Amino acid sequence: MARKANSVIDSAAKVKRGLKFKKIFSNYQLYLFLLPALIYFIVFHYLPMYGILIAFKDFVATKGIMGSPWVGFKHFERFFESFQFWTLIKNTLGLSVVQLIVGFPLPIFLALMLNQIRSEKYKRFVQTVVYAPHFISVVVLAGMIFVFFSNNGLINNIILLFGGDPISFMAKPEWFKPLYIASGVWQETGWAAIIYLAALAGVSPELHEAAVMDGANKWQRIFHVDIPAIMPTAVILLILSVGGIMNIGFEKAYLLQTPMNQPSAEIIPTYVYKMGLQQAQYSFAAAVGLFNAVINLILLIAVNKFAKKLSGTGLW
Amino acid sequence: MSLLALKNKKITRGSKEDRVFDIINVFLTAMILILVVYPLYFIVIASFSDPNMIYEGKVWLLPKEITFEGYERIFRDSKIWLGYKNSIIYTVVGTFVNVAFTLMAAYALSRKDLYGRNVFMFLFLMTMFFSGGLIPTYLIVKNLGLLNTMWALILPKAVAVWNVIVAKTYFETSIPNELLEAAKMDGCSDAKFFAKIVLPLSKPIVAVMVLFYAVGHWNSYFDALIYLNNENLYPLQLILRNILIQNQASTMMISDLDSLAAKQRVSELIKYGVIIVASVPLLIVYPFVQKYFVKGVMIGGIKG
């Protein structure tokens, strides 16, 4: 009896497996479609993950990753003990936390404001303009900062106009952070507002009508209708930005560095670039990069958990 | 209907508080508008004003003592033209590779009858949160022999996960399954169905992908910085960086000038000019394609 049942199950499994193969085979063209992307992800994303091993080795190019000798946590220890360690942590975290605090709420305000504009034409015009800086390249943005904030630049002329003393912005470490963050706000706030505008456009007009019937003014409608409507979007975006907190716009930071503002402008990613690619200390730089990535991952997981508990929305 | 609309309008025009709110709102958005536009506008007028006038703070709303010397020197410089040519090649080839790989993968993943689609999706998504980092990626590119070739700027960025998600969502929501079934009945293969039916129906998403990837290629400098040593291969952004940030190439453009003051003066002018020259393609295209970008963000946002 049992044997018979087994064989039935067996043959059912066989039929199932046969179907599976048939299914795969009949879709072979779809797998060919997938192939280029799959090869890409394996070669340029998964192979580098394997390459992280060099952080625990003394990498010698001629010996390859496998042939190079293991050294354990030597490179990590060297990084933790280096005099720059705390400066780098402070700069990296400082820059990204302030950027998050300043940069995160602004697109929400902007979207709420734009959403309240009565004239369609004016609204569309403002939108078109505030999106534009997003498309300016980092190099051009950094170039603009250099010309505007140079000693004879526009900003110092404005300061002079109001009777102030000129400031040499690019030479002062304390000005790096404000410049970095303000330029980011200028460039990305409009663009980041799009997603909230989309969420606001999805709010049922009936809710607003009902609120008006109950005598709610615009302020009250923003607080009790609009803001609750964009909360889920905001939570997801917040998690994503906290999850990327250690990976701040390193290309801009690198461009804005000058020998004089270095003390506050050096962040972990620029340090990895300099150590690894300019000085060819591959293993050490890979270790620093891995340390950065691990902190980032821990933050992402923690924030996701926290957000889920608090609001029920999370990435996974 | 019209009576109701009229009534609603009356209601929304509403109270005194609401009118105050509207006035403040228009005022604030106008301020934001000026804050965004003025820096861009200033670059334009500064690029053909006499730099001494800028130094002295006399240029505010209109160019003063108009000069085209900056542009003349920029256009005479062979590096700028070479950079333009390289950037165009990288943008065209790179975008083609990006869009082809992305749409093909996204279509395959959008098909519910693709066995193992969740596994593939997971493999792709993982790379958004984990990466080998700069150094291991560099070593791979180096080992593949891609250093100092244009492929170093194209292959390591061949597919963006986010765009795959956007395109996949689009295919899932806009290509009805009945279409596929009907085509299959007529003996149409998957490849033929994709080329003859899916792509023609997906023009908006193709446009969005082309735009996103093309802007990325046009604006990128860092890959060129790490993977290219040969100056003949430099894209425009890298040449810009040398002029704007490192004051390098401009020394070549102004070598015929004698006094230090004149050199400094003209190199300032060149900086404003190259910002314009580099941004012109985007400035021309932007107003026409802006709505596609917005569409792209929204398709991505609804799912995310």
Side-chain angles (χ1 to χ4, degrees):
Chain A
M1 191 64 193
R3 243 166 79 188
K4 204 175 174 190
N6 263 343
S7 78
V8 167
I9 291 169
D10 253 16
S11 63
K14 238 179 225 161
V15 169
K16 217 174 165 187
R17 213 174 317 142
L19 273 176
K20 198 196 286 173
F21 280 124
K22 213 172 163 189
K23 214 168 151 189
I24 291 176
F25 186 74
S26 70
N27 280 337
Y28 77 96
Q29 284 179 336
L30 292 182
Y31 290 95
L32 288 180
F33 279 9
L34 210 50
L35 198 61
L38 195 63
I39 293 173
Y40 162 76
F41 282 109
I42 290 171
V43 172
F44 291 103
H45 290 269
Y46 286 96
L47 276 183
M49 287 186 203
Y50 159 76
I52 291 176
L53 284 183
I54 67 167
F56 304 94
K57 293 187 161 210
D58 265 335
F59 180 66
V60 185
T62 48
K63 289 185 189 158
I65 294 174
M66 274 305 53
S68 301
W70 289 101
V71 294
F73 287 91
K74 181 179 119 184
H75 300 295
F76 292 90
E77 280 163 16
R78 188 184 139 201
F79 177 53
F80 298 149
E81 283 158 15
S82 85
F83 73 100
Q84 273 166 308
F85 178 70
W86 287 111
T87 318
L88 284 169
I89 298 272
K90 205 182 83 195
N91 288 347
T92 311
L93 266 178
L95 203 57
S96 47
V97 168
V98 178
Q99 175 172 263
L100 192 68
I101 293 170
V102 176
F104 186 77
L106 287 177
I108 301 178
F109 292 137
L110 182 65
L112 291 171
M113 282 165 73
L114 287 172
N115 194 48
Q116 290 293 340
I117 293 178
R118 197 86 57 76
S119 152
E120 259 316 300
K121 248 191 193 157
Y122 178 62
K123 182 177 164 187
R124 211 169 319 137
F125 177 67
V126 178
Q127 284 179 350
T128 308
V129 170
V130 295
Y131 298 162
H134 172 78
F135 296 99
I136 292 172
S137 75
V138 246
V139 176
V140 166
L141 183 76
M144 283 171 70
I145 294 171
F146 272 99
V147 294
F148 284 145
F149 291 87
S150 71
N151 290 343
N152 296 301
L154 180 68
I155 303 299
N156 272 323
N157 279 335
I158 294 176
I159 292 176
L160 281 172
L161 203 66
F162 288 99
D165 290 321
I167 303 166
S168 35
F169 290 97
M170 302 315 291
K172 295 251 168 75
E174 66 267 29
W175 277 101
F176 174 80
K177 210 195 272 177
L179 283 180
Y180 181 97
I181 287 159
S183 62
V185 165
W186 180 80
Q187 191 174 24
E188 298 298 341
T189 302
W191 189 250
I194 292 179
I195 233 167
Y196 296 112
L197 278 170
L200 285 171
V203 177
S204 143
E206 283 150 25
L207 278 177
H208 276 289
E209 279 163 24
V212 172
M213 288 296 178
D214 291 342
N217 64 19
K218 285 203 167 183
W219 266 116
Q220 289 162 329
R221 275 154 56 201
I222 287 176
F223 275 106
H224 300 292
V225 182
D226 286 346
I227 291 182
I230 54 180
M231 268 321 264
T233 313
V235 171
I236 294 280
L237 290 180
L238 186 65
I239 298 170
L240 281 174
S241 18
V242 175
I245 209 158
M246 303 297 280
N247 302 326
I248 34 172
F250 130 74
E251 300 194 353
K252 193 167 87 184
Y254 180 66
L255 290 171
L256 289 180
Q257 285 178 358
T258 65
M260 280 90 78
N261 69 19
Q262 198 80 3
S264 66
E266 191 79 286
I267 54 177
I268 294 178
T270 55
Y271 184 71
V272 170
Y273 166 67
K274 285 175 190 165
M275 284 313 207
L277 298 186
Q278 290 182 341
Q279 301 187 20
Q281 301 187 33
Y282 294 131
S283 286
F284 177 64
V288 178
L290 180 57
F291 167 77
N292 198 45
V294 168
I295 293 194
N296 209 15
L297 193 66
I298 293 171
L299 281 172
L300 179 71
I301 293 168
V303 173
N304 192 55
K305 204 165 201 174
F306 189 66
K308 241 174 151 176
K309 228 178 208 158
L310 221 62
S311 69
T313 329
L315 280 182
W316 62 83
Chain B
M1 180 63 211
S2 67
L3 200 74
L4 191 74
L6 206 73
K7 208 172 143 198
N8 271 341
K9 216 170 188 181
K10 227 178 200 165
I11 289 166
T12 41
R13 189 153 292 165
S15 64
K16 207 169 159 191
E17 287 153 323
D18 283 4
R19 249 174 302 159
V20 173
F21 179 94
D22 278 342
I23 292 166
I24 294 173
N25 192 23
V26 169
F27 175 75
L28 283 178
T29 45
M31 294 301 287
I32 293 170
L33 208 59
I34 292 169
L35 271 177
V36 173
V37 172
Y38 187 69
L40 301 171
Y41 175 73
F42 183 83
I43 297 272
V44 177
I45 56 172
S47 71
F48 47 90
S49 293
D50 190 287
N52 291 333
M53 291 283 122
I54 302 170
Y55 270 16
E56 290 163 25
K58 286 182 181 155
V59 178
W60 294 111
L61 288 175
L62 290 170
K64 290 259 165 74
E65 297 190 14
I66 290 176
T67 166
F68 292 97
E69 201 184 347
Y71 286 108
E72 274 166 30
R73 285 172 187 274
I74 292 165
F75 287 126
R76 255 190 283 145
D77 188 71
S78 60
K79 273 191 185 167
I80 295 278
W81 290 111
L82 188 66
Y84 244 101
K85 193 193 88 188
N86 287 336
S87 275
I88 291 172
I89 295 173
Y90 302 153
T91 302
V92 171
V93 179
T95 306
F96 180 80
V97 171
N98 288 147
V99 173
F101 285 17
T102 303
L103 291 182
M104 279 165 31
Y107 176 68
L109 290 171
S110 78
R111 284 276 296 268
K112 300 227 159 43
D113 56 338
L114 183 84
Y115 184 78
R117 74 199 276 259
N118 289 334
V119 178
F120 291 119
M121 205 58 222
F122 179 76
L123 269 176
F124 289 11
L125 279 174
M126 278 277 283
T127 64
M128 278 176 93
F129 303 110
F130 300 94
S131 85
L134 181 69
I135 306 298
T137 310
Y138 173 84
L139 290 175
I140 296 280
V141 173
K142 193 178 165 194
N143 287 341
L144 290 172
L146 298 177
L147 288 191
N148 273 320
T149 68
M150 74 170 206
W151 299 107
L153 309 188
I154 292 168
L155 295 180
K157 291 258 166 74
V159 183
V161 185
W162 185 250
N163 287 342
V164 174
I165 300 172
V166 171
K168 173 179 167 272
T169 311
Y170 182 89
F171 290 139
E172 277 169 356
T173 49
S174 72
I175 307 290
N177 212 20
E178 290 78 20
L179 220 53
L180 177 70
E181 280 161 15
K184 282 247 158 114
M185 287 288 199
D186 294 338
C188 185
S189 72
D190 283 323
K192 212 169 170 187
F193 181 72
F194 179 68
K196 292 267 163 73
I197 296 170
V198 175
L199 279 186
L201 285 177
S202 307
K203 278 181 193 135
I205 199 68
V206 178
V208 167
M209 293 290 124
V210 168
L211 291 172
F212 274 138
Y213 280 124
V215 170
H217 281 294
W218 186 264
N219 281 344
S220 81
Y221 84 98
F222 189 70
D223 286 349
L225 181 72
I226 52 181
Y227 297 132
L228 302 181
N229 287 320
N230 181 351
E231 290 202 9
N232 290 324
L233 293 173
Y234 279 3
L236 187 61
Q237 299 293 338
L238 205 53
I239 291 164
L240 277 184
R241 166 181 169 265
N242 293 344
I243 297 174
L244 285 170
I245 318 279
Q246 309 205 309
N247 291 315
Q248 261 175 22
S250 53
T251 51
M252 219 190 75
M253 291 185 203
I254 57 177
S255 53
D256 58 318
L257 295 164
D258 290 332
S259 77
L260 194 68
K263 276 187 178 158
Q264 210 164 33
R265 194 185 136 257
V266 175
S267 75
E268 249 346 83
L269 194 56
I270 286 170
K271 283 187 186 176
Y272 289 108
V274 289
I275 291 179
I276 305 290
V277 169
S279 311
V280 154
L282 276 175
L283 286 178
I284 295 172
V285 185
Y286 174 69
F288 300 103
V289 297
Q290 188 246 122
K291 60 169 193 262
Y292 289 105
F293 283 121
V294 173
K295 201 181 271 174
V297 175
M298 288 188 180
I299 299 171
I302 288 159
K303 182 81 190 240

PDB file of all heavy atoms in Angstrom, chain A residues 200-224:
ATOM      1  N   LEU A 200       0.127  63.037  -3.567  1.00  0.00           N
ATOM      2  CA  LEU A 200      -0.925  64.016  -3.271  1.00  0.00           C
ATOM      3  C   LEU A 200      -2.002  64.018  -4.347  1.00  0.00           C
ATOM      4  O   LEU A 200      -3.184  64.224  -4.066  1.00  0.00           O
ATOM      5  CB  LEU A 200      -0.327  65.418  -3.139  1.00  0.00           C
ATOM      6  CG  LEU A 200       0.438  65.680  -1.848  1.00  0.00           C
ATOM      7  CD1 LEU A 200       1.164  67.001  -1.923  1.00  0.00           C
ATOM      8  CD2 LEU A 200      -0.512  65.663  -0.662  1.00  0.00           C
ATOM      9  N   ALA A 201      -1.566  63.780  -5.597  1.00  0.00           N
ATOM     10  CA  ALA A 201      -2.540  63.752  -6.687  1.00  0.00           C
ATOM     11  C   ALA A 201      -3.486  62.564  -6.526  1.00  0.00           C
ATOM     12  O   ALA A 201      -4.602  62.572  -7.043  1.00  0.00           O
ATOM     13  CB  ALA A 201      -1.822  63.683  -8.030  1.00  0.00           C
ATOM     14  N   GLY A 202      -3.043  61.549  -5.777  1.00  0.00           N
ATOM     15  CA  GLY A 202      -3.871  60.375  -5.576  1.00  0.00           C
ATOM     16  C   GLY A 202      -4.895  60.526  -4.469  1.00  0.00           C
ATOM     17  O   GLY A 202      -5.725  59.642  -4.261  1.00  0.00           O
ATOM     18  N   VAL A 203      -4.843  61.636  -3.739  1.00  0.00           N
ATOM     19  CA  VAL A 203      -5.808  61.843  -2.655  1.00  0.00           C
ATOM     20  C   VAL A 203      -7.183  62.098  -3.249  1.00  0.00           C
ATOM     21  O   VAL A 203      -7.335  62.931  -4.141  1.00  0.00           O
ATOM     22  CB  VAL A 203      -5.391  63.043  -1.783  1.00  0.00           C
ATOM     23  CG1 VAL A 203      -6.427  63.288  -0.702  1.00  0.00           C
ATOM     24  CG2 VAL A 203      -4.035  62.803  -1.160  1.00  0.00           C
ATOM     25  N   SER A 204      -8.160  61.367  -2.754  1.00  0.00           N
ATOM     26  CA  SER A 204      -9.501  61.520  -3.312  1.00  0.00           C
ATOM     27  C   SER A 204     -10.054  62.914  -3.013  1.00  0.00           C
ATOM     28  O   SER A 204     -10.017  63.382  -1.877  1.00  0.00           O
ATOM     29  CB  SER A 204     -10.412  60.449  -2.708  1.00  0.00           C
ATOM     30  OG  SER A 204     -11.688  60.978  -2.506  1.00  0.00           O
ATOM     31  N   PRO A 205     -10.553  63.601  -4.055  1.00  0.00           N
ATOM     32  CA  PRO A 205     -11.086  64.963  -3.866  1.00  0.00           C
ATOM     33  C   PRO A 205     -12.235  64.989  -2.867  1.00  0.00           C
ATOM     34  O   PRO A 205     -12.489  66.007  -2.229  1.00  0.00           O
ATOM     35  CB  PRO A 205     -11.574  65.357  -5.263  1.00  0.00           C
ATOM     36  CG  PRO A 205     -11.117  64.309  -6.197  1.00  0.00           C
ATOM     37  CD  PRO A 205     -10.674  63.129  -5.419  1.00  0.00           C
ATOM     38  N   GLU A 206     -12.908  63.823  -2.742  1.00  0.00           N
ATOM     39  CA  GLU A 206     -14.042  63.775  -1.811  1.00  0.00           C
ATOM     40  C   GLU A 206     -13.612  64.068  -0.373  1.00  0.00           C
ATOM     41  O   GLU A 206     -14.333  64.698   0.395  1.00  0.00           O
ATOM     42  CB  GLU A 206     -14.725  62.410  -1.872  1.00  0.00           C
ATOM     43  CG  GLU A 206     -15.598  62.262  -3.096  1.00  0.00           C
ATOM     44  CD  GLU A 206     -15.692  60.838  -3.582  1.00  0.00           C
ATOM     45  OE1 GLU A 206     -15.507  59.924  -2.749  1.00  0.00           O
ATOM     46  OE2 GLU A 206     -15.925  60.635  -4.786  1.00  0.00           O
ATOM     47  N   LEU A 207     -12.413  63.606  -0.044  1.00  0.00           N
ATOM     48  CA  LEU A 207     -11.907  63.861   1.305  1.00  0.00           C
ATOM     49  C   LEU A 207     -11.796  65.358   1.555  1.00  0.00           C
ATOM     50  O   LEU A 207     -12.193  65.863   2.604  1.00  0.00           O
ATOM     51  CB  LEU A 207     -10.529  63.217   1.470  1.00  0.00           C
ATOM     52  CG  LEU A 207     -10.509  61.733   1.802  1.00  0.00           C
ATOM     53  CD1 LEU A 207      -9.083  61.229   1.864  1.00  0.00           C
ATOM     54  CD2 LEU A 207     -11.201  61.481   3.134  1.00  0.00           C
ATOM     55  N   HIS A 208     -11.265  66.063   0.539  1.00  0.00           N
ATOM     56  CA  HIS A 208     -11.109  67.506   0.677  1.00  0.00           C
ATOM     57  C   HIS A 208     -12.467  68.188   0.742  1.00  0.00           C
ATOM     58  O   HIS A 208     -12.687  69.084   1.550  1.00  0.00           O
ATOM     59  CB  HIS A 208     -10.301  68.061  -0.495  1.00  0.00           C
ATOM     60  CG  HIS A 208      -8.823  67.934  -0.283  1.00  0.00           C
ATOM     61  ND1 HIS A 208      -8.147  68.702   0.628  1.00  0.00           N
ATOM     62  CD2 HIS A 208      -7.909  67.121  -0.845  1.00  0.00           C
ATOM     63  CE1 HIS A 208      -6.880  68.376   0.606  1.00  0.00           C
ATOM     64  NE2 HIS A 208      -6.697  67.398  -0.276  1.00  0.00           N
ATOM     65  N   GLU A 209     -13.383  67.726  -0.112  1.00  0.00           N
ATOM     66  CA  GLU A 209     -14.716  68.331  -0.112  1.00  0.00           C
ATOM     67  C   GLU A 209     -15.393  68.155   1.238  1.00  0.00           C
ATOM     68  O   GLU A 209     -15.974  69.096   1.793  1.00  0.00           O
ATOM     69  CB  GLU A 209     -15.571  67.711  -1.223  1.00  0.00           C
ATOM     70  CG  GLU A 209     -15.270  68.326  -2.577  1.00  0.00           C
ATOM     71  CD  GLU A 209     -15.792  67.476  -3.723  1.00  0.00           C
ATOM     72  OE1 GLU A 209     -16.739  66.692  -3.518  1.00  0.00           O
ATOM     73  OE2 GLU A 209     -15.223  67.600  -4.826  1.00  0.00           O
ATOM     74  N   ALA A 210     -15.267  66.951   1.751  1.00  0.00           N
ATOM     75  CA  ALA A 210     -15.884  66.687   3.053  1.00  0.00           C
ATOM     76  C   ALA A 210     -15.281  67.584   4.126  1.00  0.00           C
ATOM     77  O   ALA A 210     -16.004  68.136   4.974  1.00  0.00           O
ATOM     78  CB  ALA A 210     -15.697  65.218   3.436  1.00  0.00           C
ATOM     79  N   ALA A 211     -13.958  67.748   4.051  1.00  0.00           N
ATOM     80  CA  ALA A 211     -13.290  68.587   5.051  1.00  0.00           C
ATOM     81  C   ALA A 211     -13.759  70.031   4.936  1.00  0.00           C
ATOM     82  O   ALA A 211     -13.995  70.706   5.934  1.00  0.00           O
ATOM     83  CB  ALA A 211     -11.772  68.510   4.867  1.00  0.00           C
ATOM     84  N   VAL A 212     -13.933  70.488   3.669  1.00  0.00           N
ATOM     85  CA  VAL A 212     -14.404  71.862   3.467  1.00  0.00           C
ATOM     86  C   VAL A 212     -15.810  72.027   4.049  1.00  0.00           C
ATOM     87  O   VAL A 212     -16.120  73.013   4.717  1.00  0.00           O
ATOM     88  CB  VAL A 212     -14.389  72.208   1.964  1.00  0.00           C
ATOM     89  CG1 VAL A 212     -15.061  73.559   1.735  1.00  0.00           C
ATOM     90  CG2 VAL A 212     -12.960  72.260   1.458  1.00  0.00           C
ATOM     91  N   MET A 213     -16.658  71.005   3.812  1.00  0.00           N
ATOM     92  CA  MET A 213     -18.014  71.029   4.352  1.00  0.00           C
ATOM     93  C   MET A 213     -18.007  71.184   5.863  1.00  0.00           C
ATOM     94  O   MET A 213     -18.830  71.867   6.454  1.00  0.00           O
ATOM     95  CB  MET A 213     -18.762  69.726   4.000  1.00  0.00           C
ATOM     96  CG  MET A 213     -19.132  69.620   2.540  1.00  0.00           C
ATOM     97  SD  MET A 213     -20.287  70.898   2.091  1.00  0.00           S
ATOM     98  CE  MET A 213     -20.486  70.580   0.364  1.00  0.00           C
ATOM     99  N   ASP A 214     -17.020  70.521   6.471  1.00  0.00           N
ATOM    100  CA  ASP A 214     -16.927  70.590   7.932  1.00  0.00           C
ATOM    101  C   ASP A 214     -16.273  71.884   8.389  1.00  0.00           C
ATOM    102  O   ASP A 214     -15.965  72.050   9.565  1.00  0.00           O
ATOM    103  CB  ASP A 214     -16.137  69.392   8.468  1.00  0.00           C
ATOM    104  CG  ASP A 214     -16.926  68.109   8.287  1.00  0.00           C
ATOM    105  OD1 ASP A 214     -18.155  68.213   8.091  1.00  0.00           O
ATOM    106  OD2 ASP A 214     -16.322  67.024   8.336  1.00  0.00           O
ATOM    107  N   GLY A 215     -15.979  72.757   7.432  1.00  0.00           N
ATOM    108  CA  GLY A 215     -15.438  74.061   7.797  1.00  0.00           C
ATOM    109  C   GLY A 215     -13.938  74.105   7.992  1.00  0.00           C
ATOM    110  O   GLY A 215     -13.405  74.981   8.665  1.00  0.00           O
ATOM    111  N   ALA A 216     -13.223  73.125   7.393  1.00  0.00           N
ATOM    112  CA  ALA A 216     -11.766  73.125   7.560  1.00  0.00           C
ATOM    113  C   ALA A 216     -11.139  74.153   6.627  1.00  0.00           C
ATOM    114  O   ALA A 216     -11.538  74.279   5.477  1.00  0.00           O
ATOM    115  CB  ALA A 216     -11.203  71.744   7.243  1.00  0.00           C
ATOM    116  N   ASN A 217     -10.166  74.897   7.127  1.00  0.00           N
ATOM    117  CA  ASN A 217      -9.454  75.806   6.233  1.00  0.00           C
ATOM    118  C   ASN A 217      -8.254  75.069   5.625  1.00  0.00           C
ATOM    119  O   ASN A 217      -8.033  73.881   5.884  1.00  0.00           O
ATOM    120  CB  ASN A 217      -9.041  77.086   6.953  1.00  0.00           C
ATOM    121  CG  ASN A 217      -8.044  76.822   8.064  1.00  0.00           C
ATOM    122  OD1 ASN A 217      -7.399  75.778   8.090  1.00  0.00           O
ATOM    123  ND2 ASN A 217      -7.935  77.759   8.978  1.00  0.00           N
ATOM    124  N   LYS A 218      -7.482  75.780   4.809  1.00  0.00           N
ATOM    125  CA  LYS A 218      -6.402  75.106   4.078  1.00  0.00           C
ATOM    126  C   LYS A 218      -5.371  74.460   5.002  1.00  0.00           C
ATOM    127  O   LYS A 218      -4.904  73.361   4.762  1.00  0.00           O
ATOM    128  CB  LYS A 218      -5.731  76.105   3.139  1.00  0.00           C
ATOM    129  CG  LYS A 218      -6.595  76.394   1.934  1.00  0.00           C
ATOM    130  CD  LYS A 218      -5.775  76.897   0.775  1.00  0.00           C
ATOM    131  CE  LYS A 218      -6.603  76.860  -0.493  1.00  0.00           C
ATOM    132  NZ  LYS A 218      -5.860  77.265  -1.668  1.00  0.00           N
ATOM    133  N   TRP A 219      -5.023  75.186   6.046  1.00  0.00           N
ATOM    134  CA  TRP A 219      -4.064  74.645   7.012  1.00  0.00           C
ATOM    135  C   TRP A 219      -4.536  73.309   7.564  1.00  0.00           C
ATOM    136  O   TRP A 219      -3.805  72.339   7.610  1.00  0.00           O
ATOM    137  CB  TRP A 219      -3.901  75.605   8.202  1.00  0.00           C
ATOM    138  CG  TRP A 219      -2.768  76.534   8.034  1.00  0.00           C
ATOM    139  CD1 TRP A 219      -2.851  77.891   7.924  1.00  0.00           C
ATOM    140  CD2 TRP A 219      -1.385  76.196   7.949  1.00  0.00           C
ATOM    141  NE1 TRP A 219      -1.604  78.407   7.762  1.00  0.00           N
ATOM    142  CE2 TRP A 219      -0.691  77.400   7.779  1.00  0.00           C
ATOM    143  CE3 TRP A 219      -0.670  75.004   7.992  1.00  0.00           C
ATOM    144  CZ2 TRP A 219       0.690  77.454   7.660  1.00  0.00           C
ATOM    145  CZ3 TRP A 219       0.703  75.039   7.875  1.00  0.00           C
ATOM    146  CH2 TRP A 219       1.376  76.254   7.709  1.00  0.00           C
ATOM    147  N   GLN A 220      -5.806  73.324   7.979  1.00  0.00           N
ATOM    148  CA  GLN A 220      -6.344  72.109   8.608  1.00  0.00           C
ATOM    149  C   GLN A 220      -6.412  70.973   7.606  1.00  0.00           C
ATOM    150  O   GLN A 220      -6.169  69.824   7.951  1.00  0.00           O
ATOM    151  CB  GLN A 220      -7.728  72.418   9.194  1.00  0.00           C
ATOM    152  CG  GLN A 220      -7.624  73.322  10.411  1.00  0.00           C
ATOM    153  CD  GLN A 220      -8.930  73.997  10.755  1.00  0.00           C
ATOM    154  OE1 GLN A 220      -9.758  74.298   9.894  1.00  0.00           O
ATOM    155  NE2 GLN A 220      -9.114  74.256  12.044  1.00  0.00           N
ATOM    156  N   ARG A 221      -6.721  71.323   6.339  1.00  0.00           N
ATOM    157  CA  ARG A 221      -6.785  70.259   5.343  1.00  0.00           C
ATOM    158  C   ARG A 221      -5.393  69.689   5.058  1.00  0.00           C
ATOM    159  O   ARG A 221      -5.234  68.488   4.842  1.00  0.00           O
ATOM    160  CB  ARG A 221      -7.427  70.780   4.057  1.00  0.00           C
ATOM    161  CG  ARG A 221      -8.945  70.694   4.131  1.00  0.00           C
ATOM    162  CD  ARG A 221      -9.611  71.696   3.249  1.00  0.00           C
ATOM    163  NE  ARG A 221      -9.173  71.580   1.874  1.00  0.00           N
ATOM    164  CZ  ARG A 221      -9.275  72.564   0.987  1.00  0.00           C
ATOM    165  NH1 ARG A 221      -9.742  73.733   1.357  1.00  0.00           N
ATOM    166  NH2 ARG A 221      -8.879  72.367  -0.236  1.00  0.00           N
ATOM    167  N   ILE A 222      -4.387  70.567   5.055  1.00  0.00           N
ATOM    168  CA  ILE A 222      -3.025  70.059   4.851  1.00  0.00           C
ATOM    169  C   ILE A 222      -2.663  69.095   5.977  1.00  0.00           C
ATOM    170  O   ILE A 222      -2.143  68.006   5.748  1.00  0.00           O
ATOM    171  CB  ILE A 222      -2.009  71.220   4.780  1.00  0.00           C
ATOM    172  CG1 ILE A 222      -2.170  71.955   3.448  1.00  0.00           C
ATOM    173  CG2 ILE A 222      -0.585  70.704   4.936  1.00  0.00           C
ATOM    174  CD1 ILE A 222      -1.290  73.169   3.301  1.00  0.00           C
ATOM    175  N   PHE A 223      -2.975  69.488   7.208  1.00  0.00           N
ATOM    176  CA  PHE A 223      -2.571  68.661   8.342  1.00  0.00           C
ATOM    177  C   PHE A 223      -3.366  67.372   8.468  1.00  0.00           C
ATOM    178  O   PHE A 223      -2.825  66.340   8.844  1.00  0.00           O
ATOM    179  CB  PHE A 223      -2.674  69.456   9.651  1.00  0.00           C
ATOM    180  CG  PHE A 223      -1.452  70.267   9.910  1.00  0.00           C
ATOM    181  CD1 PHE A 223      -1.462  71.646   9.751  1.00  0.00           C
ATOM    182  CD2 PHE A 223      -0.273  69.626  10.265  1.00  0.00           C
ATOM    183  CE1 PHE A 223      -0.305  72.385   9.957  1.00  0.00           C
ATOM    184  CE2 PHE A 223       0.884  70.356  10.475  1.00  0.00           C
ATOM    185  CZ  PHE A 223       0.867  71.735  10.316  1.00  0.00           C
ATOM    186  N   HIS A 224      -4.669  67.447   8.152  1.00  0.00           N
ATOM    187  CA  HIS A 224      -5.501  66.274   8.426  1.00  0.00           C
ATOM    188  C   HIS A 224      -5.812  65.434   7.195  1.00  0.00           C
ATOM    189  O   HIS A 224      -6.271  64.310   7.330  1.00  0.00           O
ATOM    190  CB  HIS A 224      -6.795  66.719   9.125  1.00  0.00           C
ATOM    191  CG  HIS A 224      -6.515  67.407  10.423  1.00  0.00           C
ATOM    192  ND1 HIS A 224      -6.007  66.738  11.507  1.00  0.00           N
ATOM    193  CD2 HIS A 224      -6.629  68.716  10.798  1.00  0.00           C
ATOM    194  CE1 HIS A 224      -5.830  67.598  12.505  1.00  0.00           C
ATOM    195  NE2 HIS A 224      -6.188  68.805  12.093  1.00  0.00           N
TER     196      HIS A 224
END
